[in-house]
Amino acid sequence: MATSAVGPGFLTQSAQFTQELKSAFACAILIATLASLIAQLNVWRVLAVANQRGQEIASTLVPGLGAFLAFLICLGGLVFNIGNVGGVALGLQVLVGLNLKSGAGLGACLAIFVFLFKRAMLFMDKMTQILGVLMVALMAFVALHAKAPLAQVLKESLHPSHFSMVAVLTLIGGTVGGYIIFSGGHRLLDAGVCGAHRLKEVDLAAYLGIFVATLVRGLLFLVILGVVERGVVLNPANPALSAFESFGGWGRVVFGVVFLAASLTSIVGAAYTSVSFLKNLSWVRRQENTWVVGFIGVSALIFLGIGKPATLLIAAGALNGLILPLTLALMLIAAKSPKIVGTYKHPPILNVLGWVVVGFSGYWGLLSLKPLFKLFGA
């Protein structure tokens, strides 16, 4: 889950908000972390107890709703995977000077290579763990050199001088929005971690996933903040890259490696999770790896053929913004349904806090519809 969340959009988004809010961004990170953890614990617990995937639970609650949810997840996963392929291309361009199209093709091949093994799932887990550790280590190294004002960060995290609700809602969507909320939960089901007796393991995995994603975001925040506080003006076209470049040649190399690793793991996570929403179809289940490879290939071909399709990105972004409140609300309702969870009693505090996050994320989803209204002249 953590490596799925940490993609090129995650890095760019964090850099942009740090430049705008400076130390006060710490408060937004703190609130978004708590909200994301609440959402993840609620969803993963219900998936594990029911031993069903998200679309199966949705169909049990409302016939046909699972197919609609699967459509939203796959559409959002496909379109945002185009961005992930572009992220790999940018990382390779920064590191070795490859042009974007060559880098995109090579990046797609690297991601596809993961699923050509008979034990692809185990290989995927190991690869994402290794790349995740690499990202954390590199970000920590740069953060030490950035020398951000830690005392000011601590103060602003609890008592911010200014606050941005848009930043909080965007961070929640970027951490557990769209397919990401299901990525770790579905992987746990495939690994056999299910049932009420395994909830301690599920909770631990949820805590760990949010911790790693927040650690990367926090370290990136400290890096960008240290740069901005020195008076460096970031390039709006790529604020994260310009911040790392301010450290010199080695900073550019670190950015390239981090961006490449983040994008590559996000490609794998988006493809795997999107296809997992089709696994109730026997002809997909029998050839799961083939479908994942095809998903990655189509993402790369779209990027190579038409670059960034603006209209599709806007539409998918709006749909993706509505997925979290929909899925979280469904899981909260399912948590009270004996035909789904049996005798399991969902913690009341998680239920209440979950509905609070539904309200917040629903507001974010409605905001994300505004570009669609403008796009179609509404």
Side-chain angles (χ1 to χ4, degrees), residues 26-37 157 160 163 165 168 172 360:
C27 183
I29 293 176
L30 180 60
I31 295 174
T33 297
L34 294 174
S36 298
L37 179 60
S157 64
F163 184 74
M165 182 59 70
V168 173
I172 295 172
F360 274 115

Side-chain angles (χ1 to χ4, degrees), residues 109-128:
C109 289
L110 289 173
I112 287 172
F113 181 73
V114 173
F115 293 96
L116 296 181
F117 291 91
K118 290 183 179 180
R119 305 182 72 184
M121 295 300 100
L122 290 176
F123 188 82
M124 178 184 74
D125 289 341
K126 291 297 182 183
M127 184 202 75
T128 53

Side-chain angles (χ1 to χ4, degrees), residues 17 31 75 122 282 337:
F17 279 126
I31 295 174
L75 175 62
L122 290 176
S282 59
S337 173

Side-chain angles (χ1 to χ4, degrees), residues 108-376:
C109 289
L110 289 173
I112 287 172
F113 181 73
V114 173
F115 293 96
L116 296 181
F117 291 91
K118 290 183 179 180
R119 305 182 72 184
M121 295 300 100
L122 290 176
F123 188 82
M124 178 184 74
D125 289 341
K126 291 297 182 183
M127 184 202 75
T128 53
Q129 289 169 8
I130 292 170
L131 291 179
V133 171
L134 177 64
M135 282 191 285
V136 170
L138 289 174
M139 295 293 292
F141 176 76
V142 182
L144 288 174
H145 287 76
K147 298 180 180 178
L150 297 181
Q152 181 68 16
V153 168
L154 180 60
K155 176 185 175 182
E156 294 272 2
S157 64
L158 301 175
H159 191 267
S161 55
H162 50 287
F163 184 74
S164 170
M165 182 59 70
V166 172
V168 173
L169 297 171
T170 303
L171 293 190
I172 295 172
T175 305
V176 291
Y179 72 90
I180 304 171
I181 190 67
F182 291 104
S183 59
H186 282 193
R187 182 68 193 104
L188 289 173
L189 292 181
D190 288 341
V193 181
C194 55
H197 65 290
R198 305 291 295 273
L199 283 180
K200 285 187 178 179
E201 295 171 67
V202 173
D203 289 349
L204 179 60
Y207 282 115
L208 183 60
I210 294 296
F211 171 75
V212 173
T214 303
L215 179 61
V216 174
R217 193 188 294 277
L219 290 172
L220 178 62
F221 162 61
L222 293 178
V223 170
I224 306 298
L225 180 62
V227 171
V228 171
E229 291 291 347
R230 295 204 310 265
V232 176
V233 178
L234 304 184
N235 182 355
N238 197 330
L241 173 59
S242 59
F244 278 79
E245 284 182 328
S246 69
F247 294 98
W250 67 267
R252 181 180 175 86
V253 171
V254 169
F255 171 83
V257 173
V258 170
F259 214 74
L260 176 61
S263 302
L264 189 58
T265 54
S266 292
I267 289 176
V268 171
Y272 167 77
T273 308
S274 297
V275 171
S276 76
F277 269 79
L278 304 175
K279 285 178 68 172
N280 54 316
L281 303 172
S282 59
W283 39 281
V284 173
R285 188 166 56 251
R286 287 194 300 267
Q287 299 291 332
E288 180 182 2
N289 283 3
T290 301
W291 279 86
V292 173
V293 167
F295 190 93
I296 296 171
V298 169
S299 302
L301 287 174
I302 294 175
F303 180 83
L304 291 171
I306 55 178
K308 295 181 179 179
T311 301
L312 187 57
L313 284 170
I314 292 172
L319 291 172
N320 200 53
L322 294 173
I323 293 174
L324 178 60
L326 171 64
T327 54
L328 182 52
L330 287 174
M331 294 303 110
L332 291 170
I333 295 171
K336 299 294 185 179
S337 173
K339 65 180 178 180
I340 294 175
V341 298
T343 59
Y344 165 73
K345 301 298 181 184
H346 199 59
I349 186 65
L350 271 183
N351 182 68
V352 172
L353 292 175
W355 282 112
V356 172
V357 175
V358 168
F360 274 115
S361 56
Y363 174 70
W364 176 73
L366 291 175
L367 284 180
S368 71
L369 287 175
K370 288 185 178 181
L372 274 185
F373 296 148
K374 292 180 181 179
L375 181 65
F376 295 107

Side-chain angles (χ1 to χ4, degrees), residues 80-95:
F80 286 107
N81 227 23
I82 298 170
N84 293 333
V85 170
V88 171
L90 178 59
L92 288 171
Q93 184 182 61
V94 170
L95 284 174

